[in-house]
Amino acid sequence: MNQELEYKGKQAKQASKALMCAGTDIKNTALGNMAQALQEQMAEILAANQMDLEAAKEKGISGALLDRLTLTPERIASMQEGILQIRDLEDPIGETVHMTVRPNGLEIGKKRVPVGVIGIIYEARPNVTADAAALCLKTSNAVILRGGKEALRSNLCIVKVLSQAIQRAGLPEGTLQIVEDTSRETAKELMKLNDYIDLLIPRGGGGLIQTVVKESTVPVIETGVGNCHTYVDKWADLEKAAAIAVNAKCSRPGVCNAMETLLVHKDVAAAFLPRMAAGMEPYHVELRGCAQTREILPAIRAAEEADYATEFLDFILAVKVVDSLEEAMEHIGRYSSGHSEAIVTENYTNARRFQQEVDAAAVYVNASTRFTDGFEFGFGAEIGISTQKMHARGPMGLEALTSVKYVISGDGQIR
Amino acid sequence: MNQELEYKGKQAKQASKALMCAGTDIKNTALGNMAQALQEQMAEILAANQMDLEAAKEKGISGALLDRLTLTPERIASMQEGILQIRDLEDPIGETVHMTVRPNGLEIGKKRVPVGVIGIIYEARPNVTADAAALCLKTSNAVILRGGKEALRSNLCIVKVLSQAIQRAGLPEGTLQIVEDTSRETAKELMKLNDYIDLLIPRGGGGLIQTVVKESTVPVIETGVGNCHTYVDKWADLEKAAAIAVNAKCSRPGVCNAMETLLVHKDVAAAFLPRMAAGMEPYHVELRGCAQTREILPAIRAAEEADYATEFLDFILAVKVVDSLEEAMEHIGRYSSGHSEAIVTENYTNARRFQQEVDAAAVYVNASTRFTDGFEFGFGAEIGISTQKMHARGPMGLEALTSVKYVISGDGQIR
């Protein structure tokens, strides 16, 4: 086995025992130290980031990737702000979720406990480093990070700064670690490190997530891929529908809760589609429509089947006219990634059916899919948006990083 | 891809959509039909089982395995009884677990929904067939069973009988299916059927479970392996301790919540060990002790390191004298399978520390580990006992077979 992984795995396991017993005070002190250290050692972090940026530019890395890799004083301040927000959230660990007394007098309590050791695999976004460190610490989990190789110098520097801050609060070195070997082979070994890692969370694009899901024998929470639909029903309020569609597509097209396909009932297509197209115009959205859509909007490009399966993450929208609610739900059933789906309708029965029958983490009536978000849902933090059904589904707050245990108190009961 | 798996996977996926919308009434009717059909078609099931038994005997299959494979009118009656109990439990599907109204007026409800399609891989125990079918149906999940090849004729007959009963209630054929090809290759393909199966649950021995955990890319719930400890503390009430130890070892040694290792504080070892040994005597328990144990009980066999790592599932008990609570917890940390652990003590601080620091699904003070069981915990049903931390931990009732979805109702909100 890879020596670095084995060493860090053992350190993390050891640290997770100490973290299990660490009180809220000490964890919050550590989080406060972390935020302060980012501020005080900002110059060092920016210098490390500068080296990553120069190396990336030499390799010819493109605009959007380069932007994600870039740290600025403002971005570091927002990492700092994020850590302080997490510090100020209620500590989920130790909460008694449920308590029963059995007829034989046994008291059975179900308590919230940490998961143990969490692995996080992500791409070249150094801000994820601080965020993941803070979320795991707040929930008393040790964490092993594995970031993209382009961000290695930045990540190593951030982890060094944060880890020292954590240790100043009296928590062990193994609390926060990063894998220095960014080879693919080592990443694959990390995915099979069942002896040391309890949970793996991939954060990044669809390719990364699918690799982790397919290769990992450690339990995984699948996050983030969103092929989201909005269906404008025959009984839609077309004004609401246009506002929702424009918001869902244009307010931030690069995120997973943005709309990728618009479905429109045939009876309202002629009235709705031009209105929608006018609303999207200022954003220069490229529309790709089915044959019926193009009878109404002849200037737009024809949609291919593949467009309906694509998460564009861009100002591109696939459009399809459907004959019925059933056809809309069938289309969604085929192409949805199970993230967020919306219907716009004033019809009570259709609204209910859509919410009941569509199988997705978040199912909306008369609202934009853009609300699928831990902060918008009131969780105060977000680890990601789970598109799987086990353990956690939809926006994940701190609770998603916890497990439970049963604590049973008796006075000599036998069975 | 294996044609049988692909066909049955599609059927199950289709059925799971119908099941998602099936009301409690129709599901309970189907469960009633299933129980009745087992009664009415008992002769046919027993005849199929007879053929399995004869084939098994020819292959020279041994006593315990043969016993598990055997169906009798009594065992079929108890399968029937189990189905009726599951019918009478409250339906978890559709329950609103949580509901919030956000400042912008969005109503966000968290509802309990089925998982979708569940795969169950098990050994040659035909009673699991009926049990798994009923649990999955009650929770609106379609199920694909894959039982041991020795029980194939029995399983096919039971599934035929139950499936007809389910279809008489108006539910689709894909609700309950069994894989007829019992080859290892097909089992491995089943473990990678991510397109059709949402969750795999292995039920059986440690070897089967580890294979499924290691090979499966579908999410798995790991169940059942129990290397359980009881620690008799320096401040134990030795009378309680002896009763608990005898119960934990002897009441049913072949199950996962039975004690496998007894840890005893050195200061009470001389007083406790002979008393414990006397209590175990009527059950002919083979004791295997450390050097200090054998100073007090010289007649017993020496324990090897491997004994502490073994789930005996038999009238064998490893015994070790420890110097302190810390040493006991360290031993448990090293060898525990994370199932059930107990301390016997009258010391408040030690009890609290043990419950907080020991990392297992169920942690007991002054009670037998044998209580880790869905029925004893008051769940009314049990799918198994999860020894993993994600999704479900400890005894799993119906809820463990459910997921959630967010259902959001708005009146035109945009972000």
Side-chain angles (χ1 to χ4, degrees):
Chain A
M1 191 197 286
N2 180 298
Q3 285 196 335
E4 184 193 1
L5 291 186
E6 179 148 30
Y7 175 77
K8 290 186 175 168
K10 278 187 186 158
Q11 289 262 99
K13 203 85 197 162
Q14 203 58 41
S16 82
K17 286 180 194 162
L19 285 164
M20 210 161 63
C21 305
T24 306
D25 279 357
I26 191 171
K27 294 191 292 181
N28 286 351
T29 301
L31 288 161
N33 290 353
M34 286 160 73
Q36 199 188 337
L38 282 184
Q39 173 69 37
E40 290 171 1
Q41 288 165 272
M42 189 183 287
E44 196 184 332
I45 296 168
L46 289 172
N49 185 245
Q50 196 53 42
M51 286 197 284
D52 278 335
L53 288 172
E54 276 159 25
K57 279 177 204 155
E58 262 174 44
K59 276 201 274 176
I61 278 176
S62 80
L65 269 174
L66 205 64
D67 179 56
R68 282 187 208 147
L69 181 57
T70 305
L71 289 177
T72 61
E74 294 69 37
R75 285 186 179 181
I76 291 179
S78 113
M79 284 156 62
Q80 198 186 345
E81 184 50 40
I83 293 174
L84 292 175
Q85 275 175 19
I86 290 167
R87 180 193 63 183
D88 295 340
L89 289 175
E90 204 158 324
D91 186 351
I93 300 302
E95 185 199 351
T96 297
V97 183
H98 190 70
M99 183 91 195
T100 40
V101 183
R102 299 292 302 151
N104 61 3
L106 272 187
E107 282 178 27
I108 303 183
K110 189 176 182 179
K111 282 190 107 170
R112 207 171 281 294
V113 297
V115 166
V117 179
I118 296 179
I120 297 190
I121 299 188
Y122 56 110
E123 291 167 338
R125 300 184 66 157
N127 61 321
V128 171
T129 308
D131 190 41
L135 291 164
C136 290
L137 176 56
K138 183 79 189 189
T139 48
S140 298
N141 293 294
V143 62
I144 298 179
L145 302 171
R146 195 280 191 189
K149 64 175 181 303
E150 295 80 6
L152 184 62
R153 293 178 193 86
S154 312
N155 288 338
L156 287 176
C157 184
I158 294 169
V159 166
K160 190 195 74 182
V161 167
L162 296 181
S163 179
Q164 287 168 349
I166 289 169
Q167 291 175 60
R168 275 199 299 276
L171 291 169
E173 203 184 328
T175 303
L176 167 64
Q177 296 175 99
I178 185 160
V179 178
E180 294 181 30
D181 173 355
T182 56
S183 68
R184 273 170 175 262
E185 295 68 43
T186 303
K188 287 196 176 171
E189 276 197 65
L190 187 71
M191 297 176 206
K192 301 197 188 303
L193 215 63
N194 295 55
D195 286 345
Y196 301 117
I197 299 184
D198 298 287
L199 171 66
L200 259 185
I201 305 179
R203 292 178 66 169
L208 170 75
I209 291 163
Q210 278 315 304
T211 303
V212 175
V213 168
K214 295 259 161 69
E215 300 278 343
S216 183
T217 53
V218 175
V220 171
I221 294 185
E222 200 174 334
T223 59
V225 174
N227 191 10
C228 305
H229 301 75
T230 302
Y231 166 57
V232 178
D233 190 36
K234 180 176 171 178
W235 287 275
D237 173 328
L238 298 187
E239 193 178 332
K240 281 184 199 165
I244 288 170
V246 171
N247 182 263
K249 179 72 259 179
C250 307
S251 59
R252 205 171 159 203
V255 292
C256 58
N257 57 21
M259 168 173 65
E260 304 293 3
T261 295
L262 178 70
L263 303 169
V264 182
H265 190 281
K266 65 175 173 14
D267 292 357
V268 295
F272 178 70
L273 287 174
R275 189 166 184 162
M276 176 278 295
M280 303 257 176
E281 185 114 53
Y283 301 95
H284 308 290
V285 176
E286 180 188 326
L287 301 174
R288 300 184 184 177
C290 67
Q292 280 173 277
T293 305
R294 295 176 71 221
E295 281 171 21
I296 300 160
L297 302 173
I300 73 169
R301 177 174 155 172
E304 288 167 29
E305 205 54 29
D307 288 320
Y308 296 117
T310 303
E311 190 188 12
F312 298 113
L313 296 172
D314 202 350
F315 288 103
I316 304 172
L317 178 68
V319 185
K320 190 183 166 89
V321 173
V322 295
D323 286 350
S324 61
L325 170 66
E326 287 72 20
E327 193 190 336
M329 293 198 293
E330 212 181 287
H331 180 97
I332 291 170
R334 189 173 322 127
Y335 294 108
S336 168
S337 60
H339 192 297
S340 301
E341 305 299 347
I343 185 175
V344 184
T345 190
E346 299 298 314
N347 181 298
Y348 175 81
T349 299
N350 286 5
R352 252 174 81 89
R353 280 195 61 194
F354 191 87
Q355 282 190 327
Q356 185 169 18
E357 295 178 31
V358 169
D359 189 18
V363 187
Y364 291 83
V365 174
N366 293 345
S368 166
T369 54
R370 290 275 293 106
F371 286 105
T372 305
D373 174 287
F375 297 94
E376 291 295 330
F377 274 35
F379 299 164
E382 186 187 282
I383 293 99
I385 294 165
S386 164
T387 52
Q388 65 176 37
K389 293 185 186 175
M390 308 316 293
H391 189 70
R393 197 178 193 199
M396 298 188 288
L398 293 177
E399 255 186 48
L401 297 183
T402 69
S403 180
V404 292
K405 83 173 170 194
Y406 289 99
V407 171
I408 303 112
S409 304
D411 47 16
Q413 280 85 347
I414 59 172
R415 189 178 165 192
Chain B
M1 192 197 288
N2 180 299
Q3 285 195 336
E4 185 194 0
L5 291 187
E6 177 147 33
Y7 176 78
K8 290 187 174 166
K10 278 186 187 160
Q11 289 262 100
K13 203 89 198 160
Q14 203 58 42
S16 81
K17 286 180 194 164
L19 284 164
M20 210 162 63
C21 305
T24 306
D25 279 357
I26 192 172
K27 293 192 291 181
N28 286 350
T29 301
L31 288 161
N33 290 352
M34 286 160 72
Q36 199 187 337
L38 282 184
Q39 174 68 35
E40 288 172 2
Q41 288 165 270
M42 189 183 286
E44 196 183 329
I45 295 168
L46 288 172
N49 186 243
Q50 197 52 45
M51 288 197 286
D52 278 335
L53 287 172
E54 277 159 25
K57 279 177 204 156
E58 263 174 44
K59 276 201 274 175
I61 278 177
S62 81
L65 267 175
L66 205 65
D67 178 57
R68 282 187 210 148
L69 181 57
T70 305
L71 290 177
T72 61
E74 293 70 37
R75 286 187 179 180
I76 292 178
S78 112
M79 283 156 64
Q80 199 185 343
E81 185 49 41
I83 293 174
L84 292 175
Q85 277 175 17
I86 291 167
R87 179 194 63 184
D88 296 339
L89 290 175
E90 203 157 323
D91 186 351
I93 300 301
E95 185 200 349
T96 298
V97 183
H98 190 73
M99 184 90 194
T100 38
V101 183
R102 299 292 303 153
N104 61 2
L106 272 188
E107 281 177 30
I108 304 183
K110 189 176 183 179
K111 283 190 107 171
R112 208 172 280 295
V113 298
V115 166
V117 179
I118 296 179
I120 297 191
I121 299 189
Y122 57 109
E123 290 167 341
R125 303 185 68 156
N127 61 322
V128 172
T129 309
D131 190 42
L135 290 165
C136 291
L137 176 56
K138 183 76 188 192
T139 47
S140 299
N141 293 294
V143 63
I144 297 178
L145 301 171
R146 196 282 190 185
K149 64 174 181 302
E150 296 80 7
L152 184 61
R153 294 178 193 86
S154 313
N155 288 338
L156 287 176
C157 184
I158 295 168
V159 166
K160 190 196 74 182
V161 167
L162 296 180
S163 178
Q164 286 168 350
I166 289 168
Q167 290 175 60
R168 277 200 299 278
L171 291 170
E173 205 184 326
T175 303
L176 167 64
Q177 296 175 99
I178 185 159
V179 178
E180 295 180 29
D181 173 354
T182 57
S183 68
R184 273 171 174 263
E185 294 67 45
T186 304
K188 288 197 176 172
E189 275 198 64
L190 187 70
M191 297 176 207
K192 302 195 188 300
L193 216 61
N194 294 54
D195 285 346
Y196 301 117
I197 299 185
D198 297 289
L199 171 66
L200 260 186
I201 305 179
R203 291 179 65 169
L208 170 75
I209 291 164
Q210 278 314 306
T211 304
V212 175
V213 169
K214 295 259 161 68
E215 300 278 343
S216 183
T217 52
V218 175
V220 171
I221 294 185
E222 200 173 335
T223 59
V225 174
N227 191 11
C228 305
H229 302 73
T230 303
Y231 166 57
V232 178
D233 190 35
K234 179 176 173 180
W235 287 275
D237 173 327
L238 297 187
E239 193 177 332
K240 281 183 198 166
I244 287 169
V246 171
N247 182 264
K249 179 73 259 178
C250 307
S251 59
R252 207 172 159 202
V255 291
C256 58
N257 56 22
M259 169 175 63
E260 304 294 4
T261 294
L262 178 70
L263 302 169
V264 182
H265 191 279
K266 64 176 173 15
D267 293 356
V268 295
F272 179 70
L273 287 173
R275 188 167 186 162
M276 176 278 295
M280 304 256 176
E281 186 114 54
Y283 301 95
H284 309 291
V285 176
E286 181 190 325
L287 300 174
R288 301 184 183 176
C290 67
Q292 281 172 276
T293 305
R294 294 174 74 220
E295 282 172 21
I296 300 162
L297 302 174
I300 72 170
R301 177 174 156 174
E304 288 167 29
E305 204 55 29
D307 288 319
Y308 296 116
T310 303
E311 190 188 12
F312 299 113
L313 296 173
D314 201 349
F315 288 103
I316 304 172
L317 178 68
V319 185
K320 190 182 166 91
V321 173
V322 295
D323 286 349
S324 61
L325 170 66
E326 286 72 21
E327 192 189 338
M329 292 198 295
E330 210 180 290
H331 181 99
I332 291 170
R334 188 172 323 126
Y335 294 109
S336 167
S337 60
H339 192 295
S340 300
E341 306 297 347
I343 185 173
V344 185
T345 191
E346 298 299 314
N347 180 298
Y348 175 82
T349 299
N350 286 5
R352 250 173 82 89
R353 278 195 63 194
F354 192 88
Q355 282 190 326
Q356 185 169 15
E357 295 179 29
V358 169
D359 189 19
V363 187
Y364 291 83
V365 174
N366 294 344
S368 166
T369 54
R370 289 277 291 106
F371 285 105
T372 306
D373 174 287
F375 297 94
E376 292 295 331
F377 274 34
F379 299 164
E382 186 187 282
I383 292 98
I385 294 166
S386 164
T387 52
Q388 66 176 38
K389 293 186 186 172
M390 308 316 293
H391 190 68
R393 196 178 194 199
M396 297 188 288
L398 293 177
E399 256 186 47
L401 297 182
T402 68
S403 180
V404 292
K405 83 173 170 194
Y406 289 98
V407 171
I408 302 111
S409 303
D411 48 15
Q413 280 85 348
I414 58 172
R415 187 179 167 191

